[in-house]
Amino acid sequence: MAGILVLLGLAVLAVPVLLIVALVAISGLKRRVTDLERQVSQLRASPVAAATPDAVATPARADDEPTLAELVRSPPPRTETPPPVQAATPPPIPPRPPAPAAAVPPQPAPALPPRPPRAEAPSRPATPDVVSVVLRAVRRWFTEGNVPVKIGVTVLFFGVLALLKYGADQGWFTLPPELRLAAIAAAALGALVFAWRKRESHRAFALSLQGGAIGVLLLVVFAAFKIFGMMPVGAAFALSIVLVAGAGVLAVLQDAKALAVFALLAGFLAPIWLSTGSGNHVALFSYYAVLNAAIVGIAWYKSWRVLNLLGFVFTFGIGTAWGLFDYAPHKYASTQPFLVLFFAFYLLIPLLFARRQPVSRRDLIDGCLVFGMPLVAFSLQAGLMQGGSFEDSRLPLAFCALGLGVLYAALSWALRRRTNYDVLAQSYALLAVGFATLSVPLALSAQATACVFALEGAALAWLGLRQSRLLPQLTGAGLQLAAATAFFIARVDTVSWHEAETVAPMFANATFMSALLIAVAGFASAWAYRARSAAVALVYYLWALAWWLGNGTVEINDYLGHRDEPDAMLAFIALTGWLAAEVHRRRPGTALAWTTLVGLASAAPLALWQAEVHQQPFAGNGVWAWLAYAVLGVRSLMCLRDSDHRLAGAAQFVWWLVWPLVASLLLAWLPGHVQGMGGGWQAGLIALPWLVVVALALFRWNWLASPLGERFDGWRTPLLGVLFAVLGLWWLVSLFLSGNATPLPWIPVVNPMELAQLATLVLLLRWWMPEGRVLPPARIVLLSSLAFVWITSVVLHAVHHWGGVPWNDSLVSGSLAQTSLTITWSVLGVLGWVIGSRRGQRMLWLGGAVLMAVVLAKLMVVDRQHLGNLLGIGSFMAYGLLCTVVGYLAPAPPRRIENEEASA
């Protein structure tokens, strides 16, 4: 009893202690909740706090804590979960021991978390290539959906095919064929019914099983008709229609593209796997007509592009293979209707595909069918017309192309009247133009396939760019390469390249028109790529330009004689450069400007070719060719000027180099055909055009600057440099010519050749010393050396013409020539000594001294051999007298440095 009382007493005493402990604990919990609420409020108001960084949160004080009575009357506070914020969650605050109210230190406001960086806009993903797309599709097939049933049905399908084929060939089945086929058909029907009942609960499994079952039923029908002969053609045809139509209906009802693909594959592959080689093409194409009719029916309700492409590939692929290996002209009547039917099917399918697209996406057309189908169909049509009654005439094929052009033009016109069909209308318009253009060469030649490939390749490249799809672009490039291959094969098969028959008119024959269409297709592709890919556009442009130039060159070579070839080539090159310049004026492009530049520059080698063929460029038809070059060249320069391209100056630079060359070739020919004119006239006339252009560049530059004007001023120095380089080469060569001036008497300097030589030196001096400037010492030495060489040449020519010494190697070794040179050089040396001394020009005095030293050495080495005659003696005496005069007039060099040295 006492123990119980003790325990009760301890309990009574413990109640106040427990209340105090509870009060302390509740007070600490309340303080922690208050701190957390304050931090949450600060985080919510972080923009405001960031705007006023001086504001500091006021810490809670202990005086505000509730009393014990308040805690008893009110329930403990609940902490509400704050809403999520973007900033990082602050770390939890550890519990603090209780402290008196006055001892609670103020807590600083928690630091605001850094603002997260602004997310950058995601970059646009790169367009996957063809290989990636195929690998992705294969991976999706084997990783998505009911993979086991897909693989199982596919393997089972091939197993059934192999079993039917092998069992039929080996005779393994003991049951009658009717029972065997009936059992297989019953199993397939059971599988089809089972799959239909599971279409909602096991969709992937049911769809795959339905496709396999329908494929097996098609195999049974075709085997009963083709292998066992148990079913007439009408019944097999009707059952095939029912099965394919049923597969289409099931696919449409269940929106199952895979089912349609399964059924279509089975339908197309059945006649291939079970073929006996009987060659019944009517039954084969009738069967395919049914399948394609089903594809058209499905396309009426669904825009399943893969189904359309699958049918197109199998139909025309198998049809092409049959045509290559089994077609004969007598089968034309039974084959042509099927080709027309298939063409109509796949002409309608792109229209249905576009109709099924949303209004905003009707610019996405099926380019492979829009452009590929007429390509293949027309090629097959051309193959059907090989041999038979069409062997000797291409007009039926030409009318066929013209009819296709009219058909596509009508479709384009009809679609333009409807909204949101612009791309399809433009595509049909391109096909209309292409086939209408194709009808012209087809009426004259047999290069139909090459033309079709080129035009369709350009159209596919354009469409691929329009839709940003790589496959049509690659297909377009491949078709243009195939067009080139077909063209060369047709060319080699018909007639040799260099032995072409020229029965048809020039430029109006099939070979030229076919190659022209290949070039036009290349130019069209380059034009389409000009704003998207400069590199691809350049490749297409160079490809087309090569075909254009090669086609024109071969045509000129085949139809014109050797005498007219260079004239025609000049006109053709001028036309090419002008066309490029006109296009460049409207749509500037560096490749076009280079074409014009090279076209203008090509006139130089063509002028040399003309001179070789008919002695001078303007003979025969050359005058008309150069007239065309002049007119088209001026227009080309004006086009480049209007485009303000950097190559405009280079083109005009080349222009002013071509014309003096052509004029020199003409003037070089003139003395040889005028009786009595010597070689000096020919040498002088060759240099005359170059001297005229140099004089214009120095004194009338604005004449040469047209049509560019001031923009050509930067080319003045390069032009003069090239002109003087040509004149310098001529000047050196002319020193070794005799320079006969007949019918005029030869007079030193006053003869055609030496006047041209002197004019070259004077113009060079004028170029190097404009407006009276002082020449640098290096140029003075060079000009003095050239003048010395020229004076020496004049002396030697005087010895030849006046002294009667032959113009050969013995001229220089003769005593007359040596004496004349000694006296002339001595006079020059004396003049240099005297003038240099009187004018205080030390360099001139030293030059004269050096020349006199050279003459002295010449006397000791060369002239002493001629001391036995008067000429040799006269050399020594003249030199001695001149040195004596110099010793009297200018015995020493001048002390005053000339202006040249002071300026240097």
Side-chain angles (χ1 to χ4, degrees):
M1 186 68 180
I4 296 174
L5 293 175
V6 171
L7 291 175
L8 291 174
L10 292 175
V12 172
L13 293 175
V15 168
V17 176
L18 293 174
L19 288 176
I20 293 172
V21 172
L23 178 61
V24 172
I26 292 173
S27 177
L29 180 61
K30 178 65 175 179
R31 186 164 50 254
R32 293 181 60 188
V33 171
T34 303
D35 292 340
L36 290 175
E37 289 179 350
R38 185 178 65 253
Q39 292 178 7
V40 170
S41 300
Q42 291 176 351
L43 291 176
R44 290 179 178 177
S46 57
V48 179
T52 58
D54 296 335
V56 180
T58 304
R61 300 181 60 85
D63 296 342
D64 299 330
E65 295 178 358
T67 62
L68 179 61
E70 294 176 353
L71 291 174
V72 173
R73 286 194 302 266
S74 62
R78 292 183 305 171
T79 58
E80 296 180 359
T81 303
V85 294
Q86 295 181 357
T89 305
I93 301 176
R96 297 177 301 175
V104 176
Q107 296 181 358
L112 296 178
R115 182 174 297 177
R118 182 178 298 175
E120 298 181 356
S123 59
R124 185 178 180 182
T127 304
D129 53 2
V130 178
V131 178
S132 301
V133 173
V134 174
L135 293 178
R136 188 181 304 167
V138 174
R139 183 179 60 186
R140 187 184 302 114
W141 172 265
F142 286 104
T143 56
E144 297 180 4
N146 196 330
V147 178
V149 74
K150 291 181 180 180
I151 299 176
V153 170
T154 303
V155 174
L156 180 61
F157 183 69
F158 282 95
V160 171
L161 289 177
L163 181 61
L164 288 175
K165 175 68 175 176
Y166 192 76
D169 294 340
Q170 299 295 327
W172 287 357
F173 301 106
T174 57
L175 294 176
E178 295 85 353
L179 294 179
R180 284 179 270 158
L181 294 178
I184 295 173
L189 288 174
L192 182 62
V193 173
F194 176 76
W196 173 256
R197 300 185 63 180
K198 297 294 182 180
R199 67 185 183 280
E200 296 181 356
S201 59
H202 300 80
R203 176 177 172 81
F205 171 83
L207 292 177
S208 300
L209 188 57
Q210 289 176 29
I214 293 175
V216 170
L217 290 175
L218 285 170
L219 291 176
V220 170
V221 172
F222 200 80
F225 160 68
K226 194 74 174 289
I227 299 176
F228 301 104
M230 299 180 301
M231 186 179 296
V233 176
F237 187 74
L239 284 177
S240 299
I241 292 177
V242 170
L243 290 175
V244 175
V249 170
L250 291 176
V252 172
L253 290 177
Q254 301 175 86
D255 195 16
K257 186 189 300 184
L259 174 60
V261 171
F262 265 98
L264 196 64
L265 281 173
F268 273 109
L269 294 178
I272 299 175
W273 291 330
L274 301 179
S275 175
T276 59
S278 61
N280 190 350
H281 65 283
V282 175
L284 177 67
F285 292 145
S286 300
Y287 179 75
Y288 279 172
V290 175
L291 293 180
N292 284 287
I295 295 174
V296 173
I298 294 174
W300 185 271
Y301 298 99
K302 299 292 181 181
S303 57
W304 289 341
R305 184 170 180 268
V306 63
L307 206 66
N308 304 334
L309 292 178
L310 192 65
F312 169 72
V313 170
F314 272 97
T315 300
F316 287 94
I318 295 174
T320 302
W322 175 84
L324 291 175
F325 297 105
D326 198 40
Y327 175 73
H330 67 275
K331 299 180 181 180
Y332 175 81
S334 58
T335 307
Q336 181 67 52
F338 289 106
L339 180 59
V340 174
L341 180 62
F342 294 148
F343 175 82
F345 280 156
Y346 288 96
L347 180 66
L348 180 62
I349 286 175
L351 295 172
L352 297 177
F353 180 80
R355 186 182 67 88
R356 297 296 306 174
Q357 297 297 319
V359 175
S360 59
R361 290 178 53 85
R362 282 182 179 170
D363 57 344
L364 181 64
I365 65 174
D366 195 342
C368 292
L369 292 185
V370 170
F371 293 107
M373 187 275 297
L375 161 69
V376 177
F378 190 80
S379 299
L380 291 176
Q381 182 66 51
L384 292 180
M385 290 184 173
Q386 294 291 332
S389 59
F390 304 104
E391 181 67 27
D392 299 329
S393 176
R394 307 297 299 177
L395 286 178
L397 192 60
F399 284 119
C400 179
L402 185 60
L404 288 176
V406 173
L407 172 63
Y408 280 112
L411 288 174
S412 176
W413 179 80
L415 291 176
R416 284 185 180 274
R417 301 169 62 88
R418 303 172 64 90
T419 57
N420 301 317
Y421 285 93
D422 294 338
V423 177
L424 192 59
Q426 294 174 7
S427 302
Y428 285 152
L430 286 176
L431 288 172
V433 173
F435 279 111
T437 307
L438 180 62
S439 62
V440 176
L442 285 178
L444 302 172
S445 76
Q447 277 81 11
T449 303
C451 299
V452 172
F453 281 1
L455 295 176
E456 300 299 336
L460 273 178
W462 169 82
L463 183 63
L465 277 175
R466 182 69 180 266
Q467 298 182 344
S468 298
R469 293 168 57 192
L470 181 61
L471 182 58
Q473 299 179 45
L474 296 178
T475 305
L479 285 174
Q480 296 192 47
L481 292 175
T485 304
F487 176 84
F488 284 113
I489 292 175
R491 177 80 176 185
V492 171
D493 289 342
T494 55
V495 66
S496 176
W497 181 272
H498 297 289
E499 298 178 356
E501 298 179 359
T502 57
V503 177
M506 185 177 181
F507 302 129
N509 57 83
T511 303
F512 176 80
M513 295 299 295
S514 299
L516 178 62
L517 287 178
I518 296 176
V520 169
F523 284 129
S525 300
W527 182 268
Y529 275 94
R530 70 192 185 281
R532 299 288 295 274
S533 176
V536 178
L538 179 61
V539 172
Y540 269 117
Y541 178 77
L542 294 178
W543 163 265
L545 186 62
W547 274 93
W548 167 268
L549 296 175
N551 191 26
T553 302
V554 171
E555 193 75 3
I556 291 171
N557 182 61
D558 288 346
Y559 281 83
L560 298 180
H562 179 68
R563 182 177 177 81
D564 295 326
E565 286 183 14
D567 304 332
M569 283 299 301
L570 177 63
F572 176 64
I573 292 298
L575 175 64
T576 303
W578 168 67
L579 291 175
E582 290 289 350
V583 177
H584 174 78
R585 179 172 173 266
R586 291 162 177 79
R587 179 71 71 171
T590 302
L592 295 169
W594 271 108
T595 303
T596 303
L597 173 61
V598 175
L600 293 176
S602 300
L606 291 175
L608 297 176
W609 187 11
Q610 288 175 320
E612 179 186 0
V613 171
H614 36 66
Q615 298 182 349
Q616 56 101 356
F618 295 93
N621 294 317
V623 62
W624 302 111
W626 283 107
L627 180 60
Y629 176 81
V631 174
L632 297 178
V634 171
R635 177 57 186 170
S636 300
L637 293 177
M638 295 176 65
C639 292
L640 293 180
R641 177 200 62 189
D642 295 339
S643 65
D644 197 16
H645 197 274
R646 57 185 177 84
L647 291 179
Q652 190 161 332
F653 173 83
V654 169
W655 174 263
W656 287 120
L657 294 178
V658 168
W659 284 110
L661 172 64
V662 176
S664 294
L665 293 174
L666 173 63
L667 296 177
W669 165 83
L670 185 61
H673 292 76
V674 176
Q675 186 175 3
M677 292 189 70
W681 288 97
Q682 185 180 43
L685 291 175
I686 288 175
L688 181 59
W690 301 93
L691 293 171
V692 171
V693 177
V694 168
L696 291 176
L698 291 174
F699 304 105
R700 292 292 184 270
W701 172 249
N702 57 333
W703 292 9
L704 298 184
S706 298
L708 286 184
E710 295 180 355
R711 285 180 291 173
F712 194 56
D713 291 346
W715 291 89
R716 185 176 187 179
T717 300
L719 180 61
L720 285 171
V722 174
L723 291 173
F724 274 112
V726 175
L727 284 174
L729 181 62
W730 167 86
W731 193 86
L732 292 176
V733 173
S734 66
L735 295 176
F736 299 93
L737 301 177
S738 62
N740 188 6
T742 54
L744 299 178
W746 187 90
I747 302 174
V749 181
V750 189
N751 59 81
M753 186 178 71
E754 291 177 351
L755 283 174
Q757 293 172 349
L758 179 60
T760 302
L761 296 179
V762 172
L763 291 174
L764 181 61
L765 176 63
R766 177 64 180 81
W767 182 39
W768 280 356
M769 192 173 61
E771 300 177 359
R773 290 191 309 174
V774 178
L775 285 175
R779 293 187 176 182
I780 292 176
V781 173
L782 179 58
L783 281 173
S784 301
S785 302
L786 293 176
F788 173 75
V789 172
W790 179 70
I791 292 173
T792 302
S793 173
V794 171
V795 172
L796 293 177
H797 282 85
V799 171
H800 164 64
H801 290 287
W802 287 355
V805 181
W807 185 263
N808 50 34
D809 296 339
S810 62
L811 173 66
V812 180
S813 60
S815 58
L816 179 59
Q818 291 298 326
T819 301
S820 301
L821 290 177
T822 299
I823 295 174
T824 304
W825 290 357
S826 299
V827 171
L828 293 176
V830 168
L831 291 175
W833 253 345
V834 173
I835 296 174
S837 178
R838 293 293 177 88
R839 295 188 176 184
Q841 295 179 350
R842 187 179 182 85
M843 182 179 291
L844 182 57
W845 190 94
L846 291 176
V850 170
L851 184 55
M852 293 301 289
V854 171
V855 176
L856 179 60
K858 175 178 175 296
L859 289 173
M860 295 293 102
V861 177
V862 179
D863 291 358
R864 66 181 182 88
Q865 302 175 3
H866 303 286
L867 286 176
N869 54 50
L870 294 176
L871 293 176
I873 296 171
S875 300
F876 279 84
M877 292 181 62
Y879 182 81
L881 290 173
L882 291 173
C883 285
T884 301
V885 173
V886 170
Y888 174 77
L889 297 176
R895 296 181 180 180
R896 182 166 57 89
I897 301 176
E898 62 274 11
N899 295 333
E900 292 86 350
E901 295 178 352
S903 62

